[in-house]
Amino acid sequence: MRHARLRSFLLFVDFGRLNITSSLSSNQIPQISYASTAPELSDDRRYDFFSRVVPPDSFQVQAMVDIIRALGWTYVSTVASEGSYGEKGVETFQQISKEAGGICIAQSLKIPHNPKLEDYDKAVQQLLDMHHSRAVIIFASEEDIRGVLNATRRANQVGHFLWIGSDSWGSKSSPIHQLEDVAVGAVTILPKRSSIKGFDEYFTSLTLENNRRNVWFAEFWEENFDCRLLSSSKREDTSRKCTGQERIGIDSKYEQEGKVQFVIDAVYAMAYALHNIQRDLCPEHSGICPGMEAAEGKTLLKYIRNVSFNGSAGTSVMFNKNGDAPGRYDLFQFQMTNSSVPEYRPIGQWVETLQLRLEEMQWPVGEPGVPISVCSLPCKTGERKKRVKGMPCCWHCELCDGYQYQYDETLCRLCSYDMRPDPNRTTCQPIPIVKLEWHSPWAVIPVFLAMLGIIATIFVMATFVRYNDTPIVRASGRELSYVLLTGIFLCYIITFLMIAKPDVGVCSFRRIFLGLGMSISYAALLTKTNRIYRIFEQGKQTVTAPRFISPTSQIAITSSLICLQLLGVLIWFAVDPPNTVIDYDEQKTMNPNLARGVLKCDITDLQMICSLGYSILLMVTCTIYAIKTRDVPEDFNEAKPIGFTMYTTCIVWLAFIPIFFGTAQSAEKLYIQTTTLTISMNLSASVALGMLYMPKVYVIIFHPELNVQKRKRSFKAVVTAATMSSRLSVKPSERPNGEAKSELCENPPTDPMSESCKWQ
């Protein structure tokens, strides 16, 4: 025990005297005989002096802290009576709860001496202001306990507070008399006590005659028997006179005070300490020697703390380094019984460790289980605690948002780039991998158009092969026609490569055929328009045929243009070998549940445009030549159909570019760009196929009478006719009979250098 507690024990001994008979010799043990005792009021009408003077020791407070932790309460308030008991109790509670951790004190209230009703009401209102702090720890006198309970009733808060009472409350009925409904559920603590044999006989035998030396005994007699002694009585509330024949336990209620054993043990501790001092300092004397007289209080305290003996109740008595004796406490809860009469019921004990029977505890009506008294409710799964500064038990819950997961109760961490939080946000899981599926609406339309185009291309090619030697096929330039049909066919085929599941092989073919089909198509068309342009431009100056206009030369020129595309692809292969990648940024939406990793070929938008750039260059050049040859008579060349084809193709690709780049940041980028690209290529191929070949196929199949060879014209006649035709300014409607056609070459639309219109 602390030094103050030892002094309190001795004060109590002085208040209710016990004679110590001891020779204090080195061979004798102190013997104690009863002489008088303190005025103990078993009906609890007087405040417990012992509790008021002696503050709760650390073991009692430790037991209270353990109870709070066992009940899961982390946010509590304290109420204390002003003075040593209450203030020291709260101070010890604050220290031990801080060391234990997990308990925060919302507020500490102090009831002043001689309080008024307003003081209690104010204290209860302050407790209610901390509405999350329902648990209230009380280190107070009986009067203050009653005052707080009464104020709670006046505030209409019966059942709101969860009381934890110290030994000043214990199992007494006086603090809760007629306040039982407010006190239901209160948990109290009381030191383990035993009835001391012989004390009851001694105490009940005391009378005014045999206990005259105790100056307080007469006052006790008047109070106990509610009467007045004739000599120097201070009682004015009764006129009944004491006869002196009253007997304790017969004419008044009597029950042994539970703290008697502690008083006896305290006296024994003092006696043993004095005995040990005398033995050590006065080995040659049988009584007090000069060495004992010179001993200071610190010396006596040292000897008191070092004593060890069996106490009056048969339990060992010793003191730790703080001066506290072993803590042994019984735990009670004020409960409603089966007969609806509330009473204190034992619910456990504390002997070095807590033994609490939670299943036997009861709480105010409406509480299905152990009530809560916490500053903040536990955060939900996936939320972190943002603690309030200075209050470790209080926090705000913040959701781990975005791609964060709950690393621990106070920290959120970001998942790695290829992961996303699970639905509970307690860990990360792989982001699902997606690709453009064949059944997707984004793929169905391009595939449908490509299949129609492939069928149409094969049909046209089969028709041309079947009628390979007819005038229309020969006049179309068979070699370049087959090359152009091959390019158109590849433009349709690329659709399937763009939708197929990416792997190294598919990615390799994508690089090769992405621009190859268009390069073949526009290389053939460019060669045709260039030849027409050179023929008629040179024909204006001379009748000599231009160089490199033979079919072999045309194939060579076309092949050279195509080889440039293949050379670029080879360089691309060497610099950046084809591979697949998973793009987690493309579909990394704000909502992690919608995030997807996109499996695709390692081809950037820039690389794709560069691959198509050469084909677009050929297309633009071909369009320029088509514009330049727009005035050539349509009867003997393909300039105008080629021109219409190129104009339409340019419009298609002008629409493609903003759609392709405008969706670069879209979550549907993969689908939109792939669909846009494949449809653009399908439309380009379809325009060329429809405008350049369908009219010929129509004539070949449905009008074979037009597919006949007519008379040939020399190159000089052809050029002369073309030159004259371009110079004519007379409108066809102004000519006789509306004739506007040239008779230089009466064959259906032919090439000026075709086999049906050769020069001589």
Side-chain angles (χ1 to χ4, degrees):
M1 289 181 295
R2 298 185 184 86
H3 197 183
R5 183 169 177 81
L6 292 174
R7 291 202 309 269
S8 300
F9 273 142
L10 299 179
L11 285 171
F12 195 83
V13 172
D14 287 339
F15 185 50
R17 296 174 61 93
L18 285 171
N19 287 339
I20 305 175
T21 304
S22 175
S23 65
L24 296 178
S25 67
S26 59
N27 299 321
Q28 289 180 314
I29 298 177
Q31 300 295 321
I32 298 177
S33 61
Y34 298 107
S36 178
T37 188
E40 301 289 351
L41 302 181
S42 59
D43 60 356
D44 295 323
R45 288 179 296 173
R46 179 175 294 183
Y47 174 62
D48 187 339
F49 174 83
F50 182 82
S51 297
R52 189 176 185 95
V53 175
V54 184
D57 61 36
S58 60
F59 289 113
Q60 180 183 164
V61 178
Q62 181 65 61
M64 298 173 74
V65 170
D66 289 347
I67 292 171
I68 294 169
R69 298 184 67 182
L71 296 175
W73 298 341
T74 61
Y75 199 50
V76 302
S77 299
T78 63
V79 176
S81 295
E82 186 175 7
S84 175
Y85 179 82
E87 294 178 17
K88 290 292 184 181
V90 170
E91 179 182 342
T92 305
F93 179 82
Q94 290 174 339
Q95 178 183 352
I96 293 179
S97 63
K98 183 177 181 181
E99 293 173 355
I103 299 177
C104 296
I105 300 177
Q107 55 183 336
S108 295
L109 305 180
K110 185 165 59 176
I111 306 298
H113 287 304
N114 303 318
K116 301 177 182 179
L117 287 179
E118 293 79 5
D119 295 324
Y120 295 121
D121 292 336
K122 180 181 178 181
V124 169
Q125 187 58 50
Q126 288 177 311
L127 293 174
L128 291 174
D129 290 342
M130 298 292 182
H131 57 280
H132 290 299
S133 175
R134 295 182 60 189
V136 180
I137 317 303
I138 296 185
F139 297 95
S141 64
E142 295 178 24
E143 291 89 343
D144 289 342
I145 294 173
R146 287 189 60 83
V148 171
L149 295 180
N150 262 313
T152 302
R153 175 180 285 174
R154 287 194 297 272
N156 196 27
Q157 294 296 323
V158 175
H160 174 76
F161 294 115
L162 310 169
W163 311 105
I164 302 289
S166 64
D167 60 349
S168 64
W169 186 333
S171 58
K172 300 173 184 175
S173 59
S174 57
I176 60 174
H177 180 60
Q178 296 183 345
L179 295 170
E180 289 82 359
D181 56 334
V182 187
V184 167
V187 178
T188 60
I189 188 169
L190 196 64
K192 279 184 174 293
R193 53 183 65 181
S194 300
S195 180
I196 305 301
K197 295 180 180 179
F199 180 81
D200 293 339
E201 181 182 353
Y202 160 75
F203 188 71
T204 56
S205 66
L206 293 177
T207 65
L208 293 173
E209 297 296 329
N210 61 19
N211 195 24
R212 292 181 179 274
R213 60 183 179 77
N214 192 320
V215 296
W216 294 289
F217 192 71
E219 181 182 350
F220 160 73
W221 194 271
E222 290 182 324
E223 183 72 25
N224 189 45
F225 295 107
D226 192 23
C227 61
R228 294 182 63 191
L229 293 173
L230 295 179
S231 57
S232 63
S233 176
K234 297 181 180 180
R235 289 181 60 89
E236 298 179 356
D237 57 344
T238 182
S239 59
R240 182 173 175 270
K241 297 181 180 180
C242 299
T243 64
Q245 301 303 315
E246 296 89 355
R247 290 295 178 265
I248 299 173
I250 297 176
D251 299 313
S252 67
K253 294 181 180 179
Y254 169 74
E255 181 181 356
Q256 185 180 131
E257 166 60 46
K259 296 186 177 67
V260 169
Q261 71 173 94
F262 305 122
V263 176
I264 297 174
D265 291 343
V267 175
Y268 266 111
M270 185 68 174
Y272 275 108
L274 292 173
H275 173 74
N276 294 336
I277 290 177
Q278 195 276 338
R279 182 188 59 191
D280 294 341
L281 299 182
C282 309
E284 303 298 332
H285 297 76
S286 59
I288 297 177
C289 66
M292 289 185 65
E293 294 178 350
E296 297 180 351
K298 292 183 178 179
T299 303
L300 177 60
L301 178 61
K302 176 182 177 183
Y303 276 89
I304 291 176
R305 287 185 173 181
N306 288 332
V307 300
S308 177
F309 60 93
N310 286 329
S312 57
T315 57
S316 62
V317 177
M318 64 186 67
F319 305 100
N320 61 16
K321 62 180 181 179
N322 296 322
D324 291 326
R328 302 179 182 89
Y329 298 94
D330 287 319
L331 309 179
F332 299 90
Q333 188 181 39
F334 194 66
Q335 300 179 354
M336 298 293 294
T337 62
N338 294 332
S339 60
S340 298
V341 178
E343 64 179 18
Y344 291 100
R345 286 194 170 186
I347 56 172
Q349 63 179 354
W350 193 94
V351 181
E352 296 185 356
T353 58
L354 177 66
Q355 302 171 36
L356 183 64
R357 297 186 292 275
L358 289 172
E359 67 280 0
E360 297 182 11
M361 299 183 72
Q362 296 180 9
W363 303 101
V365 179
E367 301 284 356
V370 178
I372 61 173
S373 180
V374 296
C375 180
S376 302
L377 295 175
C379 292
K380 298 178 182 178
T381 303
E383 294 179 341
R384 75 177 186 94
K385 295 179 180 178
K386 184 179 181 181
R387 298 194 182 277
V388 177
K389 186 176 181 181
M391 294 295 290
C393 300
C394 301
W395 57 80
H396 302 295
C397 294
E398 290 187 350
L399 179 66
C400 296
D401 57 357
Y403 288 81
Q404 295 180 330
Y405 71 100
Q406 184 183 1
Y407 180 72
D408 56 30
E409 66 175 13
T410 60
L411 184 63
C412 294
R413 284 192 174 179
L414 194 66
C415 293
S416 59
Y417 76 99
D418 59 341
M419 307 283 278
R420 67 177 182 182
D422 66 354
N424 293 327
R425 291 186 175 272
T426 55
T427 186
C428 293
Q429 60 184 12
I431 295 177
I433 309 301
V434 298
K435 64 179 185 64
L436 185 57
E437 301 291 344
W438 292 102
H439 56 77
S440 169
W442 297 100
V444 170
I445 296 176
V447 168
F448 177 73
L449 294 177
M451 292 180 66
L452 291 180
I454 290 173
I455 294 173
T457 303
I458 293 175
F459 176 74
V460 170
M461 191 173 292
T463 301
F464 267 52
V465 172
R466 170 69 177 81
Y467 298 97
N468 186 58
D469 293 327
T470 61
I472 288 182
V473 176
R474 292 167 58 193
S476 300
R478 289 176 294 184
E479 296 79 3
L480 288 182
S481 292
Y482 291 131
V483 171
L484 179 56
L485 286 172
T486 301
I488 292 173
F489 181 80
L490 293 179
C491 286
Y492 289 123
I493 289 296
I494 192 63
T495 297
F496 299 94
L497 291 175
M498 296 299 293
I499 297 175
K501 181 180 180 180
D503 56 34
V504 175
V506 170
C507 293
S508 300
F509 282 114
R510 280 190 189 180
R511 291 191 180 189
I512 295 172
F513 293 106
L514 180 62
L516 184 60
M518 292 180 61
S519 296
I520 294 175
S521 299
Y522 298 125
L525 288 176
L526 176 60
T527 303
K528 277 194 173 188
T529 55
N530 174 264
R531 184 181 67 167
I532 295 171
Y533 175 76
R534 289 190 294 117
I535 289 173
F536 286 99
E537 282 298 313
Q538 186 165 338
K540 295 177 183 179
Q541 303 173 4
T542 178
V543 294
T544 305
R547 301 176 61 188
F548 309 117
I549 61 174
S550 65
T552 303
S553 300
Q554 297 299 296
I555 292 297
I557 294 173
T558 302
S559 300
S560 300
L561 294 175
I562 296 172
C563 286
L564 290 177
Q565 173 72 25
L566 293 175
L567 178 62
V569 172
L570 292 177
I571 295 174
W572 188 7
F573 270 77
V575 174
D576 183 17
N579 196 8
T580 58
V581 295
I582 300 176
D583 189 348
Y584 291 98
D585 295 327
E586 183 173 313
Q587 293 194 24
K588 207 160 196 177
T589 59
M590 296 296 293
N591 185 357
N593 295 328
L594 302 178
R596 298 291 184 270
V598 180
L599 176 64
K600 61 182 183 180
C601 292
D602 188 14
I603 302 176
T604 65
D605 292 347
L606 180 61
Q607 290 173 333
M608 184 175 295
I609 293 301
C610 290
S611 178
L612 295 173
Y614 179 67
S615 301
I616 294 175
L617 177 62
L618 295 177
M619 179 182 66
V620 172
T621 307
C622 185
T623 303
I624 294 173
Y625 276 112
I627 294 174
K628 289 184 176 183
T629 59
R630 67 184 182 277
D631 292 330
V632 175
E634 61 181 8
D635 292 316
F636 47 83
N637 71 86
E638 293 179 305
K640 284 183 171 55
I642 292 175
F644 292 141
T645 299
M646 300 315 302
Y647 305 151
T648 306
T649 303
C650 287
I651 293 173
V652 170
W653 286 96
L654 285 174
F656 160 79
I657 292 175
I659 295 175
F660 186 87
F661 288 102
T663 58
Q665 304 302 322
S666 172
E668 305 290 336
K669 172 184 174 181
L670 170 69
Y671 311 125
I672 296 176
Q673 290 189 346
T674 302
T675 302
T676 303
L677 176 62
T678 52
I679 289 180
S680 297
M681 298 188 73
N682 288 338
L683 290 178
S684 300
S686 299
V687 168
L689 186 66
M691 290 190 174
L692 298 179
Y693 290 98
M694 287 306 171
K696 297 180 176 63
V697 172
Y698 175 78
V699 172
I700 292 173
I701 296 176
F702 297 103
H703 294 284
E705 69 278 3
L706 299 178
N707 189 13
V708 294
Q709 183 175 356
K710 295 188 178 182
R711 61 189 180 93
K712 299 179 181 180
R713 297 295 186 212
S714 66
F715 176 74
K716 179 178 179 180
V718 171
V719 173
T720 301
T723 303
M724 292 178 62
S725 176
S726 63
R727 293 177 180 177
L728 291 176
S729 58
V730 181
K731 296 181 179 180
S733 60
E734 297 175 353
R735 298 175 187 175
N737 299 323
E739 294 182 1
K741 295 184 178 181
S742 171
E743 295 182 359
L744 295 174
C745 191
E746 297 176 3
N747 199 49
T750 58
D751 194 302
M753 294 282 63
S754 66
E755 297 175 12
S756 62
C757 202
K758 296 181 180 179
W759 62 87
Q760 297 177 354

